[in-house]
Amino acid sequence: MPAVVIVGAQWGDEGKGKATDLLGSRVDYVVKFNGGNNAGHTVVIEGEKYALHLLPSGILTPGCTPVIGNGVVVDLSVLFEEIDGLEARGIDTSRLKLSTNAHVIADYNRSLDKTTERFLGKRKIGTTGRGIGPTYADKMNRLGIRVQDLFDEKILHAKVEGALEQKNQILTKIYNRRAVGVDETVEELLSYVDRVRPYVTDTALLLHEALRRDETVLLEAGQATLLDVDHGTYPFVTSSSATSGGACTGSGIAPTEITRVIGIVKAYATRVGEGPFPTELFDEDGERLRVNGGEFGTTTGRPRRCGWYDAPVARYAARINGVTDFVLTKLDVLTGWDRIPVCVAYEVDGERVEEMPASQTDFHHAKPIYEYFPGWSEDISGARELSDLPANAQAYVRELDAISGSRISAIGVGPGREQTVVVHDLL
Ligand code: IMP
């Protein structure tokens, strides 16, 4: 009955899709438990590139059941756009399951996301503008619309009316926007009812039964540890629980069922949007990482901020998530540097600090303390075993393994599914 969680150990875009896909053929269920279409997984299979935003990457693996859990916020127009896009490329999406308790992103929440950001000006979060934050806020405010509400028109109408009573005040009086009509919102949501019905189910029960049958369930986090609403660099975070604890609340699987937690960590670091990022580079090294690593947002196309590997961040992620194994991704992007800096600790207001500071002010002041490792120039994309890597690349991996808080069990050396060095089996 293995329930395995995959989490991002940095600020997102660590390459979780690839790791999920790597396990895919041995996994019976892949569950998305948080976030929405703010995520972006890029999976390359036999040279074909698939960019997924909302659908769990297990959708690409024949025989695997992809599940959108209760912790996700769902934009139904995006859901069907993605389903149609995959079907057009010959991918069967009929196995998809969608939780009856997942919340749906209404049009007014997309408008509010963008409007709020614009009004925040310099204090903006840099959200993806997909309505994620406002929809989670509605959930906590008990103003949200759930998938199950679509099947009871009277309830749906009452809930939309209740939500809009408040939203329209905000939209018109604070932001000077036009009011949104109850009927137009209800109509838009109802237009998906027939299409969505076959996918909707009690996913918590489904997964519980799967675990009782000894099937393997993979819970895949959207975003990452440092973007988690509780454990991330608040307020520059997403609005959901992107850490392993969120895997339980966002799916209905109990903590005692989780057998393994895999943390995905890039061999360097990136961040999208605003917020602290101690190892960020503003020079040509940063540009080189961005170009070599293809560091442009899958969802928004925004250029990602790039920097060197940050070991205190990795240790923090190991601790918060209970990481049992790290997958180190994109090691090949570091090929060609003479020496590679690794942040091993911070200097905060003149003092050396070994761990992630608990105070946000301290983290904003944190300056990286680097150690330097010799680089390599050989092409490593064909490596399949640790011993295939040049000695300096092996030493770099060994060093990260020693200082990151958990062992490194797999290493990505290229975008393809097969371009991976497996040190320890992940299941
Ligand atoms: P939101 O999730 O759209 O509300 O955006 C909040 C913050 O999370 C912003 O800094 C986004 O750039 C960031 N974010 C959201 N999703 C992702 C992701 O999949 N990868 C990286 N950053 C993300």
Side-chain angles (χ1 to χ4, degrees):
M1 41 147 244
V4 178
V5 182
I6 288 194
V7 292
Q10 296 156 320
W11 282 277
D13 310 308
E14 295 91 350
K16 290 188 292 280
K18 186 184 177 195
T20 309
D21 199 58
L22 190 68
L23 297 167
S25 56
R26 291 179 289 168
V27 168
D28 301 298
Y29 292 80
V30 173
V31 186
K32 179 179 170 85
F33 62 81
N34 76 305
N37 54 312
N38 50 346
H41 287 323
T42 309
V43 182
V44 181
I45 301 174
E46 284 153 17
E48 284 270 318
K49 199 168 169 181
Y50 300 90
L52 302 173
H53 302 288
L54 180 56
L55 291 169
S57 53
I59 196 107
L60 299 171
T61 309
C64 175
T65 303
V67 176
I68 297 179
N70 56 278
V72 175
V73 290
V74 180
D75 185 323
L76 292 164
S77 64
V78 173
L79 179 71
F80 289 113
E81 213 173 279
E82 233 162 73
I83 287 177
D84 290 345
L86 290 180
E87 289 284 343
R89 290 170 77 180
I91 308 276
D92 172 27
T93 59
S94 63
R95 304 173 322 277
L96 176 70
K97 305 289 177 208
L98 169 62
S99 169
T100 181
N101 287 345
H103 283 241
V104 297
I105 301 177
D107 196 35
Y108 48 78
N109 281 334
R110 277 190 297 265
S111 313
L112 274 168
D113 195 357
K114 291 189 190 125
T115 312
T116 318
E117 279 284 275
R118 220 170 297 135
F119 270 70
L120 278 172
K122 255 182 29 204
R123 290 182 297 118
K124 72 175 196 284
I125 308 292
T127 73
T128 57
R130 304 295 195 259
I132 309 295
T135 306
Y136 278 112
D138 280 2
K139 173 175 171 172
M140 293 312 183
N141 264 330
R142 292 158 294 187
L143 279 177
I145 312 292
R146 296 194 289 177
V147 166
Q148 58 182 277
D149 298 329
L150 301 182
F151 305 112
D152 186 331
E153 196 174 332
K154 213 168 123 212
I155 287 283
L156 179 67
H157 199 278
K159 289 193 172 179
V160 169
E161 196 169 39
L164 279 176
E165 243 168 56
Q166 190 208 60
K167 310 284 166 198
N168 278 336
Q169 301 281 342
I170 299 172
L171 282 168
T172 56
K173 294 192 178 148
I174 301 179
Y175 296 128
N176 208 16
R177 317 285 297 185
R178 76 171 181 88
V180 176
V182 176
D183 289 343
E184 66 187 80
T185 305
V186 170
E187 233 167 77
E188 200 227 317
L189 293 172
L190 285 179
S191 71
Y192 298 107
V193 167
D194 291 336
R195 283 204 76 186
V196 88
R197 197 186 303 274
Y199 302 115
V200 178
T201 192
D202 178 348
T203 48
L205 178 63
L206 178 88
L207 295 170
H208 177 82
E209 288 174 348
L211 289 169
R212 294 289 76 76
R213 286 193 303 270
D214 237 10
E215 292 180 325
T216 302
V217 174
L218 185 68
L219 298 131
E220 111 188 316
Q223 294 75 52
T225 305
L226 282 261
L227 291 174
D228 181 281
V229 69
D230 283 276
H231 302 291
T233 53
Y234 190 91
F236 303 103
V237 292
T238 193
S239 297
S240 67
S241 301
T243 43
S244 59
C248 297
T249 51
S251 71
I253 289 182
T256 44
E257 306 273 13
I258 309 286
T259 45
R260 212 142 179 195
V261 178
I262 300 170
I264 315 300
V265 71
K266 228 169 346 200
Y268 50 97
T270 63
R271 169 162 209 168
V272 200
E274 308 301 314
F277 179 9
T279 63
E280 181 168 14
L281 293 164
F282 300 95
D283 57 7
E284 55 194 45
D285 279 340
E287 189 53 30
R288 197 164 143 198
L289 285 172
R290 191 172 304 115
V291 172
N292 290 4
E295 298 295 353
F296 299 88
T298 317
T299 297
T300 59
R302 288 185 283 182
R304 297 180 183 139
R305 300 157 64 190
C306 296
W308 298 119
Y309 190 86
D310 186 325
V313 160
R315 285 200 292 276
Y316 177 74
R319 205 159 72 227
I320 293 288
N321 294 291
V323 169
T324 55
D325 304 81
F326 274 121
V327 173
L328 181 73
T329 58
K330 294 186 137 179
L331 184 66
D332 53 303
V333 174
L334 295 181
T335 300
W337 262 278
D338 291 340
R339 58 173 204 169
I340 305 170
V342 171
C343 168
V344 294
Y346 305 122
E347 188 200 305
V348 180
D349 301 332
E351 267 182 47
R352 185 181 168 107
V353 173
E354 300 294 331
E355 301 299 332
M356 264 277 293
S359 135
Q360 197 196 339
T361 306
D362 287 350
F363 195 50
H364 274 271
H365 293 181
K367 293 197 188 81
I369 297 175
Y370 288 117
E371 278 181 20
Y372 297 86
F373 297 89
W376 60 91
S377 55
E378 300 89 331
D379 176 5
I380 61 168
S381 61
R384 298 293 174 267
E385 301 197 10
L386 210 48
S387 56
D388 296 337
L389 293 173
N392 286 351
Q394 286 187 41
Y396 182 75
V397 172
R398 256 200 315 278
E399 178 60 23
L400 298 199
D401 184 279
I403 61 176
S404 299
S406 191
R407 66 182 186 178
I408 293 172
S409 295
I411 303 153
V413 291
R417 182 189 244 174
E418 65 298 340
Q419 288 178 297
T420 310
V421 170
V422 179
V423 187
H424 305 285
D425 203 11
L426 289 176
L427 266 183

